[in-house]
Amino acid sequence: MEINGHQDLQINDFTYSIENGIIRDKVICSLYAKVSKVFINHDTNEQSYEIEYRHSILHTLQKTIVAYTELLPQGLISLMRFGLDVNHNNKSTLSEALLTSMFEAEVVYIVTSYGFSQFNDQTIFITDEVLTKNALNHNIEVRHEKFTLKPQGSLHDWLMMYESFVKGHTPLELAVVLGLSSPIISHLNHSYPDLKSLLINFSGDSSIGKTTSLSLAISVAGDPNKGHRSLLRSWNGTHNANLGLLEGLHGIPIAFDELSANNHKKLDTLIYTLTEGVGRSRAKNDGSLQDVGTWSTTILSSGELDIFNRLSGNTGLKVRVFNFQDIPWTQSAEQAELIKSTISSNYGWLLPTFVETLFTEDADIEYYFENAIDELRNSLELTVTSERVLKKLAIILATANLINDTEILQVDTDAIRDLLVKQENQSHRSRDIGKEAHEKLLQYLLANQTLLSPLSRTKIGYFDEETVCIYRDELSNVLSSLGFEDSRIVIKKWIESDVIKTTERDRITTRKIIEGEKFISYRISIPDEYVRAGLHEIKPEGNHAYTLSAHPSLTQKLGNLSQSDDDFILDDNDLIL
């Protein structure tokens, strides 16, 4: 019998009939009900069940999703609130009937991650639907709670906006490339484990279009309108909340606006975690640890201040982040408004199209990546940089070339490369921890010259011709206060770059004896511009030269010194006052 397209179903000794209910041995157990779908979470293997049933009051067909425990007799009673025809007399038989129907139910796999994943040994890419190279023989349902990836508007309108307001303006073309670089770095992460995530900060004045460029970049994948399910978020969330947003992202870009809204003075730990791609351990209710969340994607950020200002003097951290400074992202307020008005209602189309094309054409992403590395390595304009930075720049350049070759868009790869090289050369100077520490020390001394004196052991050092000698112990303290945690790294850089002046005997330190106590210091060069700014010794007017006769106590000590006393052996670099 078939009613309204539904045919009676016979499983073992149960008959499931919409008209007549559940029947066993010619006895009606309840109104119609059966398990219509079994949902299996692809990541956790946890199961849930969709029950299709006839409402006990409305007599209409209803559906609800329940846990396994709610299919058992005691749990089943709780479903009375949804109109299931269950009571204490039939709960056991109804539970048995529902569990029996489960084996004829449709099996649906639930995926909750974003971007690349594996399903039955096949690579898939998850947006609002599942993209694959080869068709899957399983029913898969995408359930997303954090972000809206369902395309809105039309790809045609987005492309018209690109042709009219983006194409030909290199910074905005770069923004689109950055958005589309997210699946590229996620894919490469499997072949190059050290490539985990790109973190790129746009810094500069508020009028240069930073937020517009962020919105444009993420509009290729999803909702760019600020909100609780948007890909454009604010930095004002807690670190744990921001990291929670990233978990499960493997090829979908995300952006955080207004770095100044983050109230942490230093961002070292956050930046390290963002670029490492591994979240924090969390405990389950039973005390065991949950699986740690991971991500590999492109993370964009914006703020008026240089992000390097929020990091301690750690070169390792600075090579983990690109800071694109003072780029005129948009050319006018009108252009910015026209872009935003279009992408606010037309988004989420381009990245799925890009990934589908990569699947269809079986694109050799590694080939494009290696070519981009060679191109950058052979560039005469690019300042010699670390291999890590070179590879990350190559991801962006490889993405631009892939965009052109797949013909989803046309971008000016030469102009984009030139802009990347220019920005990296600027950032390279900022990443030079030796240079940065030297500059900060000189600025500190310029503002605190009272801390320098050749006559007192309570000071931090003294001037010596065109250098400033800082006592070894004091230098570590000063550098620490300036944000450089390991003074040994700084000193090593200074020796390599000749900031620290060696003695005639190639010593890197100078000794000075004050009131019989030996002080070891580093002779640090003072550039001419700091000398002109006032960082130099101010000698007293008139004849005020110091002589030993002016210090009878020191004269007495010198007279009593033994030449065999290693603590007081004098050489050309020992100065005695």
Side-chain angles (χ1 to χ4, degrees), residues 297-314:
T297 191
T298 297
I299 306 165
L300 303 176
S301 165
S302 77
E304 292 190 14
L305 293 178
D306 185 331
I307 196 171
F308 291 160
N309 292 337
R310 303 288 294 275
L311 301 178
S312 64
N314 185 326

Side-chain angles (χ1 to χ4, degrees), residues 208-436:
I208 61 175
K210 300 186 301 297
T211 301
T212 300
S213 61
L214 288 186
S215 300
L216 176 64
I218 59 175
S219 72
V220 303
D223 187 359
N225 303 297
K226 283 188 177 180
H228 74 285
R229 298 193 66 193
S230 169
L231 290 171
L232 179 61
R233 300 302 182 101
S234 172
W235 274 114
N236 65 3
T238 65
H239 284 186
N240 284 342
N242 290 336
L243 294 177
L245 291 172
L246 287 164
E247 292 180 356
L249 287 182
H250 293 278
I252 302 294
I254 186 171
F256 295 92
D257 198 16
E258 294 301 334
L259 184 60
S260 60
N262 188 296
N263 56 15
H264 288 76
K265 185 176 180 181
K266 293 295 182 184
L267 299 178
D268 297 46
T269 301
L270 178 62
I271 297 304
Y272 178 84
T273 306
L274 288 174
T275 55
E276 194 63 17
V278 180
R280 297 177 178 177
S281 300
R282 298 186 182 91
K284 298 180 182 177
N285 293 332
D286 61 4
S288 62
L289 292 178
Q290 297 179 10
D291 291 337
V292 177
T294 62
W295 57 89
S296 57
T297 191
T298 297
I299 306 165
L300 303 176
S301 165
S302 77
E304 292 190 14
L305 293 178
D306 185 331
I307 196 171
F308 291 160
N309 292 337
R310 303 288 294 275
L311 301 178
S312 64
N314 185 326
T315 304
L317 276 176
K318 291 182 177 181
V319 298
R320 289 175 173 265
V321 56
F322 289 135
N323 188 69
F324 290 172
Q325 189 170 19
D326 296 328
I327 293 178
W329 294 99
T330 55
Q331 296 166 302
S332 67
E334 180 184 12
Q335 178 195 35
E337 190 57 39
L338 288 168
I339 291 172
K340 286 190 288 187
S341 65
T342 300
I343 63 177
S344 65
S345 54
N346 298 275
Y347 56 79
W349 294 99
L350 196 65
L351 187 139
T353 303
F354 184 45
V355 172
E356 278 189 308
T357 307
L358 295 175
F359 275 137
T360 302
E361 298 185 0
D362 199 19
D364 190 345
I365 296 174
E366 284 78 6
Y367 171 79
Y368 279 83
F369 175 61
E370 292 293 344
N371 277 355
I373 289 178
D374 290 341
E375 181 178 348
L376 290 168
R377 186 175 282 131
N378 295 328
S379 171
L380 298 177
E381 295 82 14
L382 181 63
T383 302
V384 176
T385 187
S386 73
E387 192 69 13
R388 174 184 286 178
V389 172
L390 196 69
K391 286 181 178 179
K392 291 189 174 182
L393 288 171
I395 291 169
I396 303 171
L397 187 56
T399 303
N401 287 321
L402 279 163
I403 290 170
N404 279 346
D405 288 355
T406 56
E407 298 183 346
I408 64 164
L409 286 178
Q410 284 298 307
V411 298
D412 189 336
T413 54
D414 290 339
I416 288 173
R417 183 197 60 237
D418 291 345
L419 180 55
L420 289 174
V421 167
K422 177 182 177 182
Q423 287 296 313
E424 174 52 26
N425 287 343
Q426 292 178 0
S427 295
H428 179 74
R429 290 191 290 271
S430 299
R431 293 193 192 103
D432 187 339
I433 190 173
K435 181 177 179 180
E436 181 185 3

Side-chain angles (χ1 to χ4, degrees), residues 60-299:
T60 55
L61 285 181
Q62 306 280 339
K63 293 180 180 180
T64 190
I65 297 176
V66 299
Y68 180 78
T69 55
E70 293 176 292
L71 296 177
L72 302 178
Q74 292 304 315
L76 205 56
I77 289 294
S78 68
L79 299 184
M80 289 178 63
R81 71 189 190 278
F82 294 127
L84 184 69
D85 182 22
V86 60
N87 54 56
H88 288 286
N89 295 324
N90 73 351
K91 64 182 182 181
S92 295
T93 305
L94 180 56
S95 172
E96 186 180 352
L98 290 173
L99 292 174
T100 299
S101 69
M102 183 190 305
F103 299 102
E104 293 291 329
E106 177 186 0
V107 176
V108 179
Y109 289 91
I110 301 299
V111 292
T112 59
S113 58
Y114 301 78
F116 281 111
S117 185
Q118 291 290 313
F119 188 90
N120 289 355
D121 297 324
Q122 182 172 339
T123 298
I124 62 175
F125 192 89
I126 305 164
T127 56
D128 74 311
E129 59 182 7
V130 176
L131 308 177
T132 63
K133 181 179 179 180
N134 302 308
L136 295 173
N137 296 320
H138 296 84
N139 292 327
I140 302 179
E141 182 178 315
V142 178
R143 290 185 187 172
H144 285 159
E145 296 180 357
K146 290 190 293 190
F147 304 109
T148 299
L149 300 186
K150 184 176 178 60
Q152 297 293 318
S154 72
L155 176 59
H156 175 269
D157 287 352
W158 193 97
L159 291 174
M160 289 298 292
M161 175 276 303
Y162 179 85
E163 290 291 328
S164 300
F165 308 119
V166 175
K167 188 175 180 181
H169 184 51
T170 304
L172 290 177
E173 288 188 13
L174 174 60
V176 173
V177 171
L178 293 176
L180 293 175
S181 70
S182 51
I184 303 304
I185 188 170
S186 184
H187 170 86
L188 290 171
N189 176 240
H190 297 284
S191 305
Y192 305 84
D194 58 323
L195 295 176
K196 294 171 182 173
S197 284
L198 280 176
L199 175 57
I200 302 165
N201 183 67
F202 303 166
S203 66
D205 293 339
S206 58
S207 59
I208 61 175
K210 300 186 301 297
T211 301
T212 300
S213 61
L214 288 186
S215 300
L216 176 64
I218 59 175
S219 72
V220 303
D223 187 359
N225 303 297
K226 283 188 177 180
H228 74 285
R229 298 193 66 193
S230 169
L231 290 171
L232 179 61
R233 300 302 182 101
S234 172
W235 274 114
N236 65 3
T238 65
H239 284 186
N240 284 342
N242 290 336
L243 294 177
L245 291 172
L246 287 164
E247 292 180 356
L249 287 182
H250 293 278
I252 302 294
I254 186 171
F256 295 92
D257 198 16
E258 294 301 334
L259 184 60
S260 60
N262 188 296
N263 56 15
H264 288 76
K265 185 176 180 181
K266 293 295 182 184
L267 299 178
D268 297 46
T269 301
L270 178 62
I271 297 304
Y272 178 84
T273 306
L274 288 174
T275 55
E276 194 63 17
V278 180
R280 297 177 178 177
S281 300
R282 298 186 182 91
K284 298 180 182 177
N285 293 332
D286 61 4
S288 62
L289 292 178
Q290 297 179 10
D291 291 337
V292 177
T294 62
W295 57 89
S296 57
T297 191
T298 297
I299 306 165

